[in-house]
Amino acid sequence: AAKYAEDARVAIRNIRRDGNDALKKMQKDGDLTEDELKRLTDEVQKLTDAEIKKVDDMLATKEKDMMVV
């Protein structure tokens, strides 16, 4: 279970990286201001943190269930 959780965390971080790269390109191309880039990058980080917390919570529940059996 821990291996699957780590794989999920890595996938989430890869999505964050891709999203941030896309935002930086938009800012470079003039489609976003520096302030918009900062705000959206912060939002991507909040979403990343929330999804990783879900994975961690599911892992904790699974590990707890395994100990009960």
Side-chain angles (χ1 to χ4, degrees):
K3 170 75 171 116
Y4 293 115
E6 183 56 28
D7 290 347
R9 286 187 213 101
V10 169
I12 292 166
R13 290 182 193 120
N14 287 340
I15 293 167
R16 174 189 60 195
R17 184 196 62 233
D18 292 346
N20 284 339
D21 288 350
L23 291 172
K24 288 175 189 171
K25 183 180 182 324
M26 291 173 69
Q27 194 271 331
K28 182 181 173 192
D29 292 345
D31 297 328
L32 291 176
T33 66
E34 190 69 34
D35 288 342
E36 289 170 324
L37 174 64
K38 173 72 172 130
R39 182 181 57 78
L40 292 170
T41 301
D42 288 346
E43 185 64 26
V44 167
Q45 185 60 50
K46 287 178 189 174
L47 292 168
T48 300
D49 293 342
E51 293 304 311
I52 287 179
K53 182 177 181 335
K54 287 179 188 176
V55 169
D56 290 343
D57 291 347
M58 285 188 281
L59 176 61
T61 299
K62 182 67 175 174
E63 287 175 340
K64 183 179 174 185
D65 289 347
M66 289 171 51
M67 289 185 167
V68 171
V69 173

